[in-house]
Amino acid sequence: QIIVQANTFIATVLPIIESGATPIFVDVDKLTGTIDVVKVRRALTKKTRAIIPVHLFGYPAPILELSKLLSLSKPSSPLWIIEDAAQAQGTTIGDKKAGSFGVLSAFSFYPGKNLGAYGDGGAVTTNSKALVEEIKILRNVGQKTKYVHTRLGTNSRLDTIQAAILLVKLKHLHAWNKKRIAIANAYREALAGCGDIITPPPTPPGAKAIYHQFVIRTQKRNPLMKFLEKRGIHCGIHYPSPLHLTPALRFLGYKRGDFPVAEERARTMLSLPMFPELDDNEIAFVTSSIRTFFRH
Ligand SMILES: Cc1ncc(COP(=O)(O)O)c(C=O)c1O
């Protein structure tokens, strides 16, 4: 069993199923949308082998709280933290980066990510030399030596051309993240007290979010989204269905009402435009449009 939050991208969960394990969904924290540590504690069983916290939208997952919880578990049933840091290139907790806490962590370089390639790509990080060797074999069709296949691996090598592009873009990541943070602050300030809007919570002391998405919540999400679309402001919903209600995962046996916070968030979340190149006029256009919507 691998514990994972109900509202994340499906790619967090597919590898669990592919590996023959069972995903155990838990609800998320009302304020942050990251995994609810109290719910994790309740979901732990003798069969639990790992927990996958997701740094959703680049907001730090409660890694330190989870680590404390896991140190209570018996050494005979080792529990791993595997971080889904797909959306968190640059997120920090204390003086450490997201992706440096888990036994394993996964990053995505999908083009839309804060550090995106020009096609698909990703990386796994770990401090374990043994796991590095294992993963190198798994990503290379299960071979260490050519045509000697010791594992049922896949073809998951990062293309050299993508690696080259990422090396160039990596130098800019910090500056781009800083711009996203500035845009988030501007959004927050301009939307304070507007309608029933709830803006993302400030990051906990000593942590840094990198705003892969800037996600507001409102009961008027759908009409607001339509209104903005008409003005040429394209917003997203991440994600419209929590995973326990997603058709492909119905076989897991969950039902509506199982994770009320995740369900409520799926109904009310709206991702505003967020990319480092957004300028002051564009931010003002987005926020004044939202204010106009709530005045009518
Ligand atoms: C939270 C999360 N996990 C996993 C993934 C999967 O990453 P990729 O598309 O690079 O396989 C993504 C992004 O697409 C994601 O947003």
Side-chain angles (χ1 to χ4, degrees), residues 8-9 11-12 54 56 84 86-87 107-110 113 120-121 239:
T8 173
F9 186 52
T12 312
V54 183
L56 197 64
D84 182 337
Q87 304 184 357
F107 287 91
S108 166
F109 303 132
Y110 175 78
K113 294 293 191 290
D120 280 302
Y239 300 90

Side-chain angles (χ1 to χ4, degrees), residues 28-281:
V28 291
D29 182 82
K30 253 196 184 123
L31 199 65
T32 65
T34 54
I35 202 161
D36 184 328
V37 181
V38 175
K39 302 280 162 54
V40 171
R41 182 191 286 269
R42 285 192 208 139
L44 287 172
T45 72
K46 279 189 192 135
K47 292 185 180 167
T48 312
R49 288 292 172 269
I51 298 167
I52 306 185
V54 183
H55 302 287
L56 197 64
F57 312 141
Y59 190 90
I63 293 285
L64 301 179
E65 294 82 344
L66 281 174
S67 309
K68 263 189 222 151
L69 175 71
L70 298 194
S71 64
L72 300 175
S73 68
K74 292 197 194 85
S76 56
S77 76
L79 281 175
W80 284 11
I81 289 184
I82 300 171
E83 293 176 72
D84 182 337
Q87 304 184 357
Q89 299 114 337
T91 297
T92 55
I93 300 167
D95 55 2
K96 286 179 72 178
K97 289 262 181 340
S100 67
F101 293 89
V103 175
L104 291 164
S105 304
F107 287 91
S108 166
F109 303 132
Y110 175 78
K113 294 293 191 290
N114 289 36
L115 177 62
Y118 285 2
D120 280 302
V124 176
T125 55
T126 178
N127 282 329
S128 154
K129 279 199 179 124
L131 286 174
V132 166
E133 288 312 310
E134 187 80 355
I135 288 159
K136 279 184 176 168
I137 291 170
L138 286 171
R139 75 171 175 193
N140 191 19
V141 286
Q143 65 183 9
K144 185 170 179 182
T145 311
K146 205 164 189 184
Y147 305 133
V148 181
H149 302 273
T150 52
R151 289 294 224 152
L152 295 176
T154 55
N155 177 357
S156 290
R157 296 176 301 262
L158 182 67
D159 292 347
T160 310
I161 184 82
Q162 301 304 345
I165 288 160
L166 288 164
L167 273 176
V168 173
K169 291 182 81 177
L170 181 60
K171 295 186 193 107
H172 303 278
L173 178 63
H174 183 63
W176 288 335
N177 281 345
K178 261 173 94 172
K179 281 200 178 153
R180 284 177 186 259
I181 293 168
I183 295 164
N185 290 338
Y187 270 150
R188 225 186 240 113
E189 201 173 302
L191 293 174
C194 174
D196 67 341
I197 284 181
I198 302 171
T199 50
T203 26
K208 187 174 84 184
I210 46 96
Y211 297 98
H212 174 56
Q213 301 290 354
F214 186 87
V215 178
I216 61 168
R217 285 181 290 144
T218 164
Q219 297 299 329
K220 300 204 168 112
R221 191 267 310 275
N222 290 344
L224 173 61
M225 192 175 180
K226 261 192 208 144
F227 180 85
L228 295 176
E229 198 77 55
K230 273 194 201 136
R231 291 184 159 214
I233 301 168
H234 180 70
C235 298
I237 299 176
H238 301 94
Y239 300 90
S241 171
L243 292 180
H244 66 292
L245 302 177
T246 289
L249 299 176
R250 237 174 240 152
F251 73 95
L252 292 169
Y254 292 95
K255 58 182 188 319
R256 193 169 291 282
D258 282 347
F259 305 110
V261 181
E263 290 172 28
E264 218 262 335
R265 290 181 74 90
R267 274 193 303 273
T268 57
M269 281 188 298
L270 187 67
S271 308
L272 300 186
M274 172 54 87
F275 46 91
E277 297 79 12
L278 262 185
D279 65 31
D280 289 348
N281 289 336

